[in-house]
PDB file of all heavy atoms in Angstrom:
ATOM      1  N   VAL A  17       3.618 -25.598  -2.880  1.00 97.00           N
ATOM      2  CA  VAL A  17       2.985 -24.517  -3.581  1.00 97.00           C
ATOM      3  C   VAL A  17       2.233 -23.669  -2.558  1.00 97.00           C
ATOM      4  O   VAL A  17       1.663 -24.165  -1.607  1.00 97.00           O
ATOM      5  CB  VAL A  17       2.006 -25.055  -4.676  1.00 97.00           C
ATOM      6  CG1 VAL A  17       0.922 -25.947  -4.055  1.00 97.00           C
ATOM      7  CG2 VAL A  17       1.384 -23.890  -5.448  1.00 97.00           C
ATOM      8  N   ASN A  18       2.325 -22.372  -2.740  1.00 96.00           N
ATOM      9  CA  ASN A  18       1.682 -21.406  -1.849  1.00 96.00           C
ATOM     10  C   ASN A  18       0.944 -20.360  -2.631  1.00 96.00           C
ATOM     11  O   ASN A  18       1.448 -19.821  -3.649  1.00 96.00           O
ATOM     12  CB  ASN A  18       2.727 -20.709  -0.969  1.00 96.00           C
ATOM     13  CG  ASN A  18       3.461 -21.694  -0.062  1.00 96.00           C
ATOM     14  OD1 ASN A  18       2.989 -22.058   0.966  1.00 96.00           O
ATOM     15  ND2 ASN A  18       4.697 -22.089  -0.480  1.00 96.00           N
ATOM     16  N   VAL A  19      -0.242 -20.049  -2.214  1.00 97.00           N
ATOM     17  CA  VAL A  19      -1.076 -18.939  -2.742  1.00 97.00           C
ATOM     18  C   VAL A  19      -1.211 -17.875  -1.680  1.00 97.00           C
ATOM     19  O   VAL A  19      -1.516 -18.173  -0.519  1.00 97.00           O
ATOM     20  CB  VAL A  19      -2.429 -19.450  -3.189  1.00 97.00           C
ATOM     21  CG1 VAL A  19      -3.287 -18.274  -3.744  1.00 97.00           C
ATOM     22  CG2 VAL A  19      -2.317 -20.550  -4.231  1.00 97.00           C
ATOM     23  N   ASN A  20      -0.915 -16.617  -2.063  1.00 95.00           N
ATOM     24  CA  ASN A  20      -0.949 -15.546  -1.052  1.00 95.00           C
ATOM     25  C   ASN A  20      -1.729 -14.361  -1.634  1.00 95.00           C
ATOM     26  O   ASN A  20      -1.911 -14.204  -2.804  1.00 95.00           O
ATOM     27  CB  ASN A  20       0.445 -15.142  -0.661  1.00 95.00           C
ATOM     28  CG  ASN A  20       1.267 -14.597  -1.850  1.00 95.00           C
ATOM     29  OD1 ASN A  20       1.081 -13.465  -2.272  1.00 95.00           O
ATOM     30  ND2 ASN A  20       2.150 -15.458  -2.403  1.00 95.00           N
ATOM     31  N   ALA A  21      -2.186 -13.527  -0.674  1.00 96.00           N
ATOM     32  CA  ALA A  21      -2.913 -12.322  -1.034  1.00 96.00           C
ATOM     33  C   ALA A  21      -2.682 -11.278   0.070  1.00 96.00           C
ATOM     34  O   ALA A  21      -2.478 -11.659   1.224  1.00 96.00           O
ATOM     35  CB  ALA A  21      -4.409 -12.586  -1.242  1.00 96.00           C
ATOM     36  N   GLY A  22      -2.795 -10.035  -0.295  1.00 94.00           N
ATOM     37  CA  GLY A  22      -2.611  -8.966   0.687  1.00 94.00           C
ATOM     38  C   GLY A  22      -3.370  -7.692   0.346  1.00 94.00           C
ATOM     39  O   GLY A  22      -3.691  -7.460  -0.801  1.00 94.00           O
ATOM     40  N   TYR A  23      -3.646  -6.960   1.394  1.00 95.00           N
ATOM     41  CA  TYR A  23      -4.361  -5.661   1.264  1.00 95.00           C
ATOM     42  C   TYR A  23      -3.688  -4.672   2.199  1.00 95.00           C
ATOM     43  O   TYR A  23      -3.513  -4.977   3.399  1.00 95.00           O
ATOM     44  CB  TYR A  23      -5.871  -5.850   1.614  1.00 95.00           C
ATOM     45  CG  TYR A  23      -6.612  -4.556   1.742  1.00 95.00           C
ATOM     46  CD1 TYR A  23      -7.116  -3.903   0.611  1.00 95.00           C
ATOM     47  CD2 TYR A  23      -6.844  -3.967   2.975  1.00 95.00           C
ATOM     48  CE1 TYR A  23      -7.843  -2.699   0.733  1.00 95.00           C
ATOM     49  CE2 TYR A  23      -7.540  -2.773   3.091  1.00 95.00           C
ATOM     50  CZ  TYR A  23      -8.030  -2.131   1.992  1.00 95.00           C
ATOM     51  OH  TYR A  23      -8.732  -0.976   2.087  1.00 95.00           O
ATOM     52  N   GLN A  24      -3.378  -3.511   1.678  1.00 94.00           N
ATOM     53  CA  GLN A  24      -2.764  -2.456   2.505  1.00 94.00           C
ATOM     54  C   GLN A  24      -3.443  -1.122   2.193  1.00 94.00           C
ATOM     55  O   GLN A  24      -3.600  -0.753   1.024  1.00 94.00           O
ATOM     56  CB  GLN A  24      -1.240  -2.356   2.202  1.00 94.00           C
ATOM     57  CG  GLN A  24      -0.504  -3.660   2.485  1.00 94.00           C
ATOM     58  CD  GLN A  24       0.947  -3.630   2.044  1.00 94.00           C
ATOM     59  OE1 GLN A  24       1.294  -3.007   1.104  1.00 94.00           O
ATOM     60  NE2 GLN A  24       1.792  -4.393   2.761  1.00 94.00           N
ATOM     61  N   HIS A  25      -3.830  -0.426   3.262  1.00 96.00           N
ATOM     62  CA  HIS A  25      -4.600   0.828   3.089  1.00 96.00           C
ATOM     63  C   HIS A  25      -3.986   1.889   4.011  1.00 96.00           C
ATOM     64  O   HIS A  25      -3.672   1.648   5.172  1.00 96.00           O
ATOM     65  CB  HIS A  25      -6.041   0.612   3.423  1.00 96.00           C
ATOM     66  CG  HIS A  25      -6.881   1.874   3.411  1.00 96.00           C
ATOM     67  ND1 HIS A  25      -7.508   2.384   4.495  1.00 96.00           N
ATOM     68  CD2 HIS A  25      -7.120   2.781   2.402  1.00 96.00           C
ATOM     69  CE1 HIS A  25      -8.138   3.511   4.177  1.00 96.00           C
ATOM     70  NE2 HIS A  25      -7.912   3.776   2.896  1.00 96.00           N
ATOM     71  N   HIS A  26      -3.858   3.111   3.477  1.00 95.00           N
ATOM     72  CA  HIS A  26      -3.305   4.246   4.211  1.00 95.00           C
ATOM     73  C   HIS A  26      -4.136   5.497   3.867  1.00 95.00           C
ATOM     74  O   HIS A  26      -4.190   5.933   2.753  1.00 95.00           O
ATOM     75  CB  HIS A  26      -1.823   4.420   3.800  1.00 95.00           C
ATOM     76  CG  HIS A  26      -1.100   5.440   4.632  1.00 95.00           C
ATOM     77  ND1 HIS A  26       0.005   6.109   4.164  1.00 95.00           N
ATOM     78  CD2 HIS A  26      -1.306   5.879   5.939  1.00 95.00           C
ATOM     79  CE1 HIS A  26       0.446   6.934   5.130  1.00 95.00           C
ATOM     80  NE2 HIS A  26      -0.333   6.800   6.151  1.00 95.00           N
ATOM     81  N   TYR A  27      -4.780   6.039   4.911  1.00 96.00           N
ATOM     82  CA  TYR A  27      -5.615   7.240   4.739  1.00 96.00           C
ATOM     83  C   TYR A  27      -5.010   8.314   5.636  1.00 96.00           C
ATOM     84  O   TYR A  27      -4.911   8.112   6.874  1.00 96.00           O
ATOM     85  CB  TYR A  27      -7.059   6.935   5.113  1.00 96.00           C
ATOM     86  CG  TYR A  27      -8.019   8.032   4.836  1.00 96.00           C
ATOM     87  CD1 TYR A  27      -8.227   8.532   3.560  1.00 96.00           C
ATOM     88  CD2 TYR A  27      -8.747   8.640   5.873  1.00 96.00           C
ATOM     89  CE1 TYR A  27      -9.117   9.562   3.296  1.00 96.00           C
ATOM     90  CE2 TYR A  27      -9.657   9.679   5.650  1.00 96.00           C
ATOM     91  CZ  TYR A  27      -9.828  10.139   4.318  1.00 96.00           C
ATOM     92  OH  TYR A  27     -10.700  11.150   4.076  1.00 96.00           O
ATOM     93  N   TYR A  28      -4.653   9.464   5.122  1.00 96.00           N
ATOM     94  CA  TYR A  28      -3.839  10.412   5.902  1.00 96.00           C
ATOM     95  C   TYR A  28      -4.081  11.869   5.482  1.00 96.00           C
ATOM     96  O   TYR A  28      -4.569  12.142   4.378  1.00 96.00           O
ATOM     97  CB  TYR A  28      -2.363  10.069   5.748  1.00 96.00           C
ATOM     98  CG  TYR A  28      -1.893  10.029   4.291  1.00 96.00           C
ATOM     99  CD1 TYR A  28      -1.290  11.146   3.689  1.00 96.00           C
ATOM    100  CD2 TYR A  28      -2.057   8.876   3.488  1.00 96.00           C
ATOM    101  CE1 TYR A  28      -0.876  11.118   2.396  1.00 96.00           C
ATOM    102  CE2 TYR A  28      -1.654   8.860   2.173  1.00 96.00           C
ATOM    103  CZ  TYR A  28      -1.046   9.979   1.634  1.00 96.00           C
ATOM    104  OH  TYR A  28      -0.632   9.961   0.316  1.00 96.00           O
ATOM    105  N   ASP A  29      -3.721  12.766   6.383  1.00 96.00           N
ATOM    106  CA  ASP A  29      -3.779  14.197   6.139  1.00 96.00           C
ATOM    107  C   ASP A  29      -2.351  14.658   5.794  1.00 96.00           C
ATOM    108  O   ASP A  29      -1.355  14.121   6.334  1.00 96.00           O
ATOM    109  CB  ASP A  29      -4.260  14.970   7.390  1.00 96.00           C
ATOM    110  CG  ASP A  29      -5.613  14.508   7.846  1.00 96.00           C
ATOM    111  OD1 ASP A  29      -6.457  14.210   6.975  1.00 96.00           O
ATOM    112  OD2 ASP A  29      -5.864  14.485   9.092  1.00 96.00           O
ATOM    113  N   PHE A  30      -2.244  15.705   4.962  1.00 95.00           N
ATOM    114  CA  PHE A  30      -0.931  16.288   4.733  1.00 95.00           C
ATOM    115  C   PHE A  30      -1.087  17.769   4.339  1.00 95.00           C
ATOM    116  O   PHE A  30      -2.204  18.220   4.037  1.00 95.00           O
ATOM    117  CB  PHE A  30      -0.160  15.499   3.661  1.00 95.00           C
ATOM    118  CG  PHE A  30      -0.759  15.571   2.276  1.00 95.00           C
ATOM    119  CD1 PHE A  30      -0.267  16.410   1.306  1.00 95.00           C
ATOM    120  CD2 PHE A  30      -1.797  14.702   1.923  1.00 95.00           C
ATOM    121  CE1 PHE A  30      -0.795  16.456   0.008  1.00 95.00           C
ATOM    122  CE2 PHE A  30      -2.312  14.700   0.629  1.00 95.00           C
ATOM    123  CZ  PHE A  30      -1.832  15.565  -0.321  1.00 95.00           C
ATOM    124  N   ASP A  31       0.012  18.469   4.448  1.00 94.00           N
ATOM    125  CA  ASP A  31       0.026  19.940   4.205  1.00 94.00           C
ATOM    126  C   ASP A  31       0.425  20.305   2.815  1.00 94.00           C
ATOM    127  O   ASP A  31       0.773  19.444   1.984  1.00 94.00           O
ATOM    128  CB  ASP A  31       0.901  20.588   5.249  1.00 94.00           C
ATOM    129  CG  ASP A  31       0.297  20.601   6.649  1.00 94.00           C
ATOM    130  OD1 ASP A  31      -0.961  20.633   6.749  1.00 94.00           O
ATOM    131  OD2 ASP A  31       1.055  20.544   7.641  1.00 94.00           O
ATOM    132  N   ASN A  32       0.479  21.643   2.584  1.00 92.00           N
ATOM    133  CA  ASN A  32       0.713  22.160   1.232  1.00 92.00           C
ATOM    134  C   ASN A  32       2.180  22.128   0.857  1.00 92.00           C
ATOM    135  O   ASN A  32       2.514  22.160  -0.328  1.00 92.00           O
ATOM    136  CB  ASN A  32       0.193  23.609   1.137  1.00 92.00           C
ATOM    137  CG  ASN A  32       0.008  24.081  -0.280  1.00 92.00           C
ATOM    138  OD1 ASN A  32      -0.505  23.298  -1.107  1.00 92.00           O
ATOM    139  ND2 ASN A  32       0.452  25.267  -0.568  1.00 92.00           N
ATOM    140  N   GLY A  33       3.068  22.056   1.826  1.00 90.00           N
ATOM    141  CA  GLY A  33       4.498  22.017   1.534  1.00 90.00           C
ATOM    142  C   GLY A  33       5.268  22.581   2.703  1.00 90.00           C
ATOM    143  O   GLY A  33       4.774  22.765   3.809  1.00 90.00           O
ATOM    144  N   ALA A  34       6.553  22.909   2.465  1.00 92.00           N
ATOM    145  CA  ALA A  34       7.409  23.428   3.533  1.00 92.00           C
ATOM    146  C   ALA A  34       6.877  24.739   4.088  1.00 92.00           C
ATOM    147  O   ALA A  34       6.533  25.660   3.337  1.00 92.00           O
ATOM    148  CB  ALA A  34       8.800  23.635   2.941  1.00 92.00           C
ATOM    149  N   PHE A  35       6.760  24.795   5.409  1.00 94.00           N
ATOM    150  CA  PHE A  35       6.246  25.980   6.124  1.00 94.00           C
ATOM    151  C   PHE A  35       4.871  26.392   5.699  1.00 94.00           C
ATOM    152  O   PHE A  35       4.476  27.563   5.904  1.00 94.00           O
ATOM    153  CB  PHE A  35       7.224  27.185   5.941  1.00 94.00           C
ATOM    154  CG  PHE A  35       8.641  26.887   6.333  1.00 94.00           C
ATOM    155  CD1 PHE A  35       9.635  26.765   5.336  1.00 94.00           C
ATOM    156  CD2 PHE A  35       9.042  26.795   7.663  1.00 94.00           C
ATOM    157  CE1 PHE A  35      10.967  26.530   5.725  1.00 94.00           C
ATOM    158  CE2 PHE A  35      10.314  26.553   8.017  1.00 94.00           C
ATOM    159  CZ  PHE A  35      11.327  26.417   7.021  1.00 94.00           C
ATOM    160  N   ASP A  36       4.101  25.528   5.096  1.00 93.00           N
ATOM    161  CA  ASP A  36       2.834  25.908   4.497  1.00 93.00           C
ATOM    162  C   ASP A  36       1.727  24.917   4.893  1.00 93.00           C
ATOM    163  O   ASP A  36       1.697  23.754   4.421  1.00 93.00           O
ATOM    164  CB  ASP A  36       2.964  25.954   2.950  1.00 93.00           C
ATOM    165  CG  ASP A  36       1.755  26.643   2.297  1.00 93.00           C
ATOM    166  OD1 ASP A  36       0.827  27.091   2.996  1.00 93.00           O
ATOM    167  OD2 ASP A  36       1.794  26.749   1.053  1.00 93.00           O
ATOM    168  N   ASP A  37       0.844  25.339   5.818  1.00 94.00           N
ATOM    169  CA  ASP A  37      -0.238  24.470   6.268  1.00 94.00           C
ATOM    170  C   ASP A  37      -1.220  24.229   5.104  1.00 94.00           C
ATOM    171  O   ASP A  37      -1.296  24.973   4.133  1.00 94.00           O
ATOM    172  CB  ASP A  37      -0.986  25.162   7.410  1.00 94.00           C
ATOM    173  CG  ASP A  37      -1.792  24.197   8.234  1.00 94.00           C
ATOM    174  OD1 ASP A  37      -1.621  22.955   8.047  1.00 94.00           O
ATOM    175  OD2 ASP A  37      -2.605  24.651   9.084  1.00 94.00           O
ATOM    176  N   GLY A  38      -1.943  23.126   5.198  1.00 93.00           N
ATOM    177  CA  GLY A  38      -2.907  22.822   4.147  1.00 93.00           C
ATOM    178  C   GLY A  38      -3.955  21.867   4.604  1.00 93.00           C
ATOM    179  O   GLY A  38      -3.908  21.306   5.680  1.00 93.00           O
ATOM    180  N   LYS A  39      -4.979  21.675   3.761  1.00 93.00           N
ATOM    181  CA  LYS A  39      -6.116  20.789   4.064  1.00 93.00           C
ATOM    182  C   LYS A  39      -6.227  19.749   2.975  1.00 93.00           C
ATOM    183  O   LYS A  39      -7.113  19.767   2.128  1.00 93.00           O
ATOM    184  CB  LYS A  39      -7.405  21.606   4.132  1.00 93.00           C
ATOM    185  CG  LYS A  39      -7.429  22.617   5.259  1.00 93.00           C
ATOM    186  CD  LYS A  39      -7.589  21.956   6.636  1.00 93.00           C
ATOM    187  CE  LYS A  39      -7.815  23.004   7.745  1.00 93.00           C
ATOM    188  NZ  LYS A  39      -7.979  22.364   9.063  1.00 93.00           N
ATOM    189  N   TYR A  40      -5.272  18.837   2.953  1.00 95.00           N
ATOM    190  CA  TYR A  40      -5.241  17.768   1.947  1.00 95.00           C
ATOM    191  C   TYR A  40      -5.378  16.413   2.633  1.00 95.00           C
ATOM    192  O   TYR A  40      -4.981  16.228   3.779  1.00 95.00           O
ATOM    193  CB  TYR A  40      -3.945  17.785   1.159  1.00 95.00           C
ATOM    194  CG  TYR A  40      -3.765  19.016   0.303  1.00 95.00           C
ATOM    195  CD1 TYR A  40      -3.099  20.146   0.747  1.00 95.00           C
ATOM    196  CD2 TYR A  40      -4.257  19.027  -1.002  1.00 95.00           C
ATOM    197  CE1 TYR A  40      -2.922  21.256  -0.042  1.00 95.00           C
ATOM    198  CE2 TYR A  40      -4.096  20.151  -1.809  1.00 95.00           C
ATOM    199  CZ  TYR A  40      -3.423  21.279  -1.310  1.00 95.00           C
ATOM    200  OH  TYR A  40      -3.259  22.391  -2.077  1.00 95.00           O
ATOM    201  N   LYS A  41      -5.958  15.477   1.899  1.00 96.00           N
ATOM    202  CA  LYS A  41      -6.051  14.091   2.367  1.00 96.00           C
ATOM    203  C   LYS A  41      -5.593  13.149   1.254  1.00 96.00           C
ATOM    204  O   LYS A  41      -5.879  13.354   0.037  1.00 96.00           O
ATOM    205  CB  LYS A  41      -7.518  13.747   2.765  1.00 96.00           C
ATOM    206  CG  LYS A  41      -7.985  14.417   4.037  1.00 96.00           C
ATOM    207  CD  LYS A  41      -9.359  13.925   4.437  1.00 96.00           C
ATOM    208  CE  LYS A  41      -9.820  14.565   5.727  1.00 96.00           C
ATOM    209  NZ  LYS A  41      -9.008  14.099   6.903  1.00 96.00           N
ATOM    210  N   GLY A  42      -4.827  12.118   1.651  1.00 95.00           N
ATOM    211  CA  GLY A  42      -4.428  11.104   0.725  1.00 95.00           C
ATOM    212  C   GLY A  42      -5.073   9.787   1.072  1.00 95.00           C
ATOM    213  O   GLY A  42      -5.291   9.484   2.275  1.00 95.00           O
ATOM    214  N   ASN A  43      -5.423   9.006   0.077  1.00 96.00           N
ATOM    215  CA  ASN A  43      -6.059   7.717   0.266  1.00 96.00           C
ATOM    216  C   ASN A  43      -5.353   6.694  -0.611  1.00 96.00           C
ATOM    217  O   ASN A  43      -5.623   6.621  -1.849  1.00 96.00           O
ATOM    218  CB  ASN A  43      -7.542   7.803  -0.038  1.00 96.00           C
ATOM    219  CG  ASN A  43      -8.312   6.565   0.391  1.00 96.00           C
ATOM    220  OD1 ASN A  43      -7.750   5.678   1.001  1.00 96.00           O
ATOM    221  ND2 ASN A  43      -9.573   6.514   0.056  1.00 96.00           N
ATOM    222  N   ASP A  44      -4.407   5.938  -0.057  1.00 95.00           N
ATOM    223  CA  ASP A  44      -3.615   5.000  -0.865  1.00 95.00           C
ATOM    224  C   ASP A  44      -4.029   3.566  -0.557  1.00 95.00           C
ATOM    225  O   ASP A  44      -4.171   3.176   0.646  1.00 95.00           O
ATOM    226  CB  ASP A  44      -2.142   5.140  -0.521  1.00 95.00           C
ATOM    227  CG  ASP A  44      -1.612   6.538  -0.863  1.00 95.00           C
ATOM    228  OD1 ASP A  44      -2.319   7.300  -1.515  1.00 95.00           O
ATOM    229  OD2 ASP A  44      -0.465   6.833  -0.471  1.00 95.00           O
ATOM    230  N   THR A  45      -4.177   2.749  -1.570  1.00 95.00           N
ATOM    231  CA  THR A  45      -4.573   1.366  -1.408  1.00 95.00           C
ATOM    232  C   THR A  45      -3.683   0.488  -2.299  1.00 95.00           C
ATOM    233  O   THR A  45      -3.390   0.835  -3.443  1.00 95.00           O
ATOM    234  CB  THR A  45      -6.020   1.120  -1.835  1.00 95.00           C
ATOM    235  OG1 THR A  45      -6.874   1.988  -1.058  1.00 95.00           O
ATOM    236  CG2 THR A  45      -6.408  -0.307  -1.617  1.00 95.00           C
ATOM    237  N   GLN A  46      -3.215  -0.624  -1.729  1.00 95.00           N
ATOM    238  CA  GLN A  46      -2.453  -1.597  -2.481  1.00 95.00           C
ATOM    239  C   GLN A  46      -3.005  -2.965  -2.266  1.00 95.00           C
ATOM    240  O   GLN A  46      -3.232  -3.360  -1.122  1.00 95.00           O
ATOM    241  CB  GLN A  46      -0.994  -1.541  -2.059  1.00 95.00           C
ATOM    242  CG  GLN A  46      -0.111  -2.557  -2.834  1.00 95.00           C
ATOM    243  CD  GLN A  46       1.376  -2.333  -2.592  1.00 95.00           C
ATOM    244  OE1 GLN A  46       2.065  -1.781  -3.452  1.00 95.00           O
ATOM    245  NE2 GLN A  46       1.860  -2.742  -1.412  1.00 95.00           N
ATOM    246  N   LYS A  47      -3.287  -3.699  -3.318  1.00 96.00           N
ATOM    247  CA  LYS A  47      -3.782  -5.069  -3.259  1.00 96.00           C
ATOM    248  C   LYS A  47      -2.856  -5.957  -4.088  1.00 96.00           C
ATOM    249  O   LYS A  47      -2.360  -5.525  -5.154  1.00 96.00           O
ATOM    250  CB  LYS A  47      -5.208  -5.172  -3.826  1.00 96.00           C
ATOM    251  CG  LYS A  47      -6.244  -4.260  -3.150  1.00 96.00           C
ATOM    252  CD  LYS A  47      -7.591  -4.334  -3.863  1.00 96.00           C
ATOM    253  CE  LYS A  47      -8.578  -3.352  -3.295  1.00 96.00           C
ATOM    254  NZ  LYS A  47      -9.858  -3.376  -3.996  1.00 96.00           N
ATOM    255  N   PHE A  48      -2.613  -7.141  -3.621  1.00 96.00           N
ATOM    256  CA  PHE A  48      -1.776  -8.030  -4.398  1.00 96.00           C
ATOM    257  C   PHE A  48      -2.126  -9.487  -4.111  1.00 96.00           C
ATOM    258  O   PHE A  48      -2.711  -9.809  -3.035  1.00 96.00           O
ATOM    259  CB  PHE A  48      -0.285  -7.797  -4.097  1.00 96.00           C
ATOM    260  CG  PHE A  48       0.094  -8.001  -2.667  1.00 96.00           C
ATOM    261  CD1 PHE A  48       0.537  -9.228  -2.208  1.00 96.00           C
ATOM    262  CD2 PHE A  48       0.093  -6.959  -1.768  1.00 96.00           C
ATOM    263  CE1 PHE A  48       0.882  -9.423  -0.887  1.00 96.00           C
ATOM    264  CE2 PHE A  48       0.465  -7.109  -0.452  1.00 96.00           C
ATOM    265  CZ  PHE A  48       0.871  -8.369  -0.017  1.00 96.00           C
ATOM    266  N   SER A  49      -1.818 -10.327  -5.057  1.00 96.00           N
ATOM    267  CA  SER A  49      -1.982 -11.784  -4.877  1.00 96.00           C
ATOM    268  C   SER A  49      -0.887 -12.472  -5.688  1.00 96.00           C
ATOM    269  O   SER A  49      -0.357 -11.903  -6.655  1.00 96.00           O
ATOM    270  CB  SER A  49      -3.367 -12.232  -5.313  1.00 96.00           C
ATOM    271  OG  SER A  49      -3.562 -11.989  -6.689  1.00 96.00           O
ATOM    272  N   GLY A  50      -0.562 -13.699  -5.324  1.00 95.00           N
ATOM    273  CA  GLY A  50       0.500 -14.392  -6.070  1.00 95.00           C
ATOM    274  C   GLY A  50       0.513 -15.857  -5.774  1.00 95.00           C
ATOM    275  O   GLY A  50      -0.222 -16.380  -4.902  1.00 95.00           O
ATOM    276  N   LEU A  51       1.349 -16.525  -6.564  1.00 96.00           N
ATOM    277  CA  LEU A  51       1.509 -17.978  -6.423  1.00 96.00           C
ATOM    278  C   LEU A  51       3.002 -18.267  -6.490  1.00 96.00           C
ATOM    279  O   LEU A  51       3.702 -17.742  -7.350  1.00 96.00           O
ATOM    280  CB  LEU A  51       0.761 -18.699  -7.500  1.00 96.00           C
ATOM    281  CG  LEU A  51       0.807 -20.246  -7.432  1.00 96.00           C
ATOM    282  CD1 LEU A  51      -0.502 -20.851  -7.915  1.00 96.00           C
ATOM    283  CD2 LEU A  51       1.951 -20.802  -8.299  1.00 96.00           C
ATOM    284  N   ASN A  52       3.464 -19.130  -5.544  1.00 96.00           N
ATOM    285  CA  ASN A  52       4.843 -19.564  -5.531  1.00 96.00           C
ATOM    286  C   ASN A  52       4.871 -21.082  -5.495  1.00 96.00           C
ATOM    287  O   ASN A  52       4.096 -21.692  -4.708  1.00 96.00           O
ATOM    288  CB  ASN A  52       5.545 -18.994  -4.314  1.00 96.00           C
ATOM    289  CG  ASN A  52       6.839 -19.783  -3.962  1.00 96.00           C
ATOM    290  OD1 ASN A  52       6.795 -20.655  -3.143  1.00 96.00           O
ATOM    291  ND2 ASN A  52       7.931 -19.439  -4.626  1.00 96.00           N
ATOM    292  N   ALA A  53       5.664 -21.729  -6.299  1.00 97.00           N
ATOM    293  CA  ALA A  53       5.758 -23.173  -6.331  1.00 97.00           C
ATOM    294  C   ALA A  53       7.217 -23.557  -6.518  1.00 97.00           C
ATOM    295  O   ALA A  53       7.994 -22.916  -7.219  1.00 97.00           O
ATOM    296  CB  ALA A  53       4.892 -23.744  -7.471  1.00 97.00           C
ATOM    297  N   GLN A  54       7.610 -24.683  -5.887  1.00 97.00           N
ATOM    298  CA  GLN A  54       8.949 -25.159  -6.016  1.00 97.00           C
ATOM    299  C   GLN A  54       8.946 -26.690  -6.027  1.00 97.00           C
ATOM    300  O   GLN A  54       8.308 -27.337  -5.197  1.00 97.00           O
ATOM    301  CB  GLN A  54       9.826 -24.666  -4.886  1.00 97.00           C
ATOM    302  CG  GLN A  54      11.308 -25.028  -5.031  1.00 97.00           C
ATOM    303  CD  GLN A  54      12.152 -24.384  -3.967  1.00 97.00           C
ATOM    304  OE1 GLN A  54      12.205 -24.909  -2.824  1.00 97.00           O
ATOM    305  NE2 GLN A  54      12.833 -23.313  -4.298  1.00 97.00           N
ATOM    306  N   TYR A  55       9.681 -27.222  -6.990  1.00 97.00           N
ATOM    307  CA  TYR A  55       9.904 -28.684  -7.092  1.00 97.00           C
ATOM    308  C   TYR A  55      11.358 -28.962  -6.870  1.00 97.00           C
ATOM    309  O   TYR A  55      12.250 -28.422  -7.555  1.00 97.00           O
ATOM    310  CB  TYR A  55       9.459 -29.225  -8.458  1.00 97.00           C
ATOM    311  CG  TYR A  55       9.825 -30.655  -8.693  1.00 97.00           C
ATOM    312  CD1 TYR A  55       9.136 -31.683  -8.064  1.00 97.00           C
ATOM    313  CD2 TYR A  55      10.917 -30.991  -9.539  1.00 97.00           C
ATOM    314  CE1 TYR A  55       9.517 -32.994  -8.242  1.00 97.00           C
ATOM    315  CE2 TYR A  55      11.262 -32.313  -9.722  1.00 97.00           C
ATOM    316  CZ  TYR A  55      10.536 -33.313  -9.059  1.00 97.00           C
ATOM    317  OH  TYR A  55      10.893 -34.632  -9.257  1.00 97.00           O
ATOM    318  N   SER A  56      11.638 -29.855  -5.952  1.00 96.00           N
ATOM    319  CA  SER A  56      13.042 -30.209  -5.591  1.00 96.00           C
ATOM    320  C   SER A  56      13.368 -31.574  -6.163  1.00 96.00           C
ATOM    321  O   SER A  56      12.584 -32.514  -6.087  1.00 96.00           O
ATOM    322  CB  SER A  56      13.233 -30.214  -4.062  1.00 96.00           C
ATOM    323  OG  SER A  56      12.946 -28.937  -3.537  1.00 96.00           O
ATOM    324  N   TYR A  57      14.584 -31.661  -6.759  1.00 95.00           N
ATOM    325  CA  TYR A  57      15.088 -32.945  -7.201  1.00 95.00           C
ATOM    326  C   TYR A  57      16.430 -33.154  -6.606  1.00 95.00           C
ATOM    327  O   TYR A  57      16.899 -32.385  -5.750  1.00 95.00           O
ATOM    328  CB  TYR A  57      15.111 -32.965  -8.738  1.00 95.00           C
ATOM    329  CG  TYR A  57      15.850 -31.856  -9.381  1.00 95.00           C
ATOM    330  CD1 TYR A  57      17.205 -31.981  -9.743  1.00 95.00           C
ATOM    331  CD2 TYR A  57      15.223 -30.668  -9.710  1.00 95.00           C
ATOM    332  CE1 TYR A  57      17.888 -30.964 -10.351  1.00 95.00           C
ATOM    333  CE2 TYR A  57      15.894 -29.638 -10.334  1.00 95.00           C
ATOM    334  CZ  TYR A  57      17.218 -29.789 -10.658  1.00 95.00           C
ATOM    335  OH  TYR A  57      17.908 -28.774 -11.264  1.00 95.00           O
TER     336      TYR A  57
END
């Protein structure tokens, strides 16, 4: 049996679109946890 957890964070600048400068910021976060178990016979 295994218990796992993870955290991923991405903070970034981006523009308005094609050929178009901009002042935007993105802040993406992903969190996860899980359990895996295996019984062999």
Side-chain angles (χ1 to χ4, degrees):
V17 59
N18 297 279
V19 178
N20 61 78
Y23 170 83
Q24 300 174 329
H25 175 241
H26 188 204
Y27 187 61
Y28 56 95
D29 303 324
F30 66 99
D31 287 330
N32 199 42
F35 304 108
D36 193 359
D37 199 12
K39 297 286 187 179
Y40 293 92
K41 288 185 179 293
N43 191 4
D44 298 350
T45 303
Q46 180 169 256
K47 303 174 184 177
F48 61 90
S49 62
L51 183 145
N52 161 264
Q54 186 175 79
Y55 172 74
S56 299
Y57 54 94

